[in-house]
Amino acid sequence: MTSDMRTPKGRLPGDAAFRRIREDLAAARRGDPAARTKLEVALNYSGLHALWVHRLSHRLWQRDGTKLLARCISQFTRFLTGVEIHPGANIGRRVFIDHGMGIVIGETAEVGDDVLIYHDVTLGGVSTKKVKRHPTIGDRVLIGAGAKLLGPIEIGADSKVGANAVVTKSAPAGSILTGIPAKVRQAPNPAARAEGYYEI
């Protein structure tokens, strides 16, 4: 292959996309102890499928002439996977959606890197105006099954949101949020974290 087919840094076209896919597969295997092989994850994990298609729909959403196509793709993906991510949402790297079903991520939501999201989570809005109306999630946040995060709140990095919590207020980095409405709890035992347990 001739050198003129390579990018300025010497990489082949498409390398970045394949690196992102490899990152996603590795994140899934870290986040789910039931994941056995990369092939199994690639073929069967609907949360990953939804994120992969979202990257396409998000790029289309950035262009005025393809917003309708972006919405159609996102809605078809919802039909296939049970995960609804608005094409306007900004999703970071190595995000893992475990189980997938029932996820809703709104248009102005922002999700950081290395975030773990379980099923039935909503990152929803509380306004009908065209403003920032969905949550901003920091890096390495864990969001438990059934949690609802509502409004233009900010959840700091390394926080954990308990299952079925309803979060309507911002929280600083390292927060543990549980309850309805969610309140900040004391951080879990460091030894439990070291063993890989999500003590919430």
Side-chain angles (χ1 to χ4, degrees):
M1 185 171 291
T2 59
S3 59
D4 60 346
M5 295 182 65
R6 295 178 179 272
T7 64
K9 291 185 178 181
R11 296 190 178 99
L12 294 173
D15 273 4
F18 283 112
R19 285 199 305 274
R20 292 287 296 273
I21 290 173
R22 288 194 293 269
E23 281 185 355
D24 294 334
L25 296 173
R29 296 185 73 186
R30 283 195 305 271
D32 182 9
R36 297 181 301 168
T37 67
K38 292 180 180 179
L39 180 62
E40 178 184 43
V41 172
L43 293 176
N44 295 299
Y45 279 53
S46 59
L48 273 186
H49 301 157
L51 288 168
W52 289 341
V53 177
H54 172 73
R55 288 178 190 155
L56 169 63
S57 65
H58 183 68
R59 293 189 69 176
L60 293 171
W61 185 257
Q62 308 307 308
R63 307 170 187 170
D64 289 336
T66 54
K67 289 187 185 296
L68 175 60
L69 177 60
R71 284 305 306 269
C72 291
I73 290 173
S74 70
Q75 289 303 108
F76 185 62
T77 305
R78 176 192 179 214
F79 169 75
L80 293 176
T81 66
V83 177
E84 180 175 349
I85 308 175
H86 191 284
N90 286 290
I91 308 293
R93 301 180 72 153
R94 298 175 300 277
V95 172
F96 176 44
I97 297 175
D98 198 5
H99 301 295
M101 185 61 68
I103 302 289
V104 177
I105 300 178
E107 177 187 8
T108 63
E110 300 172 60
V111 179
D113 297 335
D114 302 296
V115 172
L116 175 56
I117 302 174
Y118 286 96
H119 53 283
D120 287 327
V121 165
T122 298
L123 305 183
V126 293
S127 173
T128 57
K129 299 185 182 299
K130 293 184 179 295
V131 295
K132 167 67 173 169
R133 58 193 184 277
H134 300 96
T136 296
I137 309 300
D139 296 339
R140 299 175 301 280
V141 171
L142 180 147
I143 307 177
K148 309 294 184 258
L149 290 78
L150 306 175
I153 59 176
E154 295 186 14
I155 305 301
D158 300 297
S159 294
K160 294 180 175 61
V161 180
N164 295 314
V166 178
V167 185
T168 58
K169 295 182 180 179
S170 296
S175 296
I176 307 295
L177 297 158
T178 59
I180 305 174
K183 296 181 180 179
V184 177
R185 280 184 50 195
Q186 184 177 3
N189 185 335
R193 289 204 305 269
E195 290 295 325
Y197 290 105
Y198 296 125
E199 182 183 328
I200 299 177

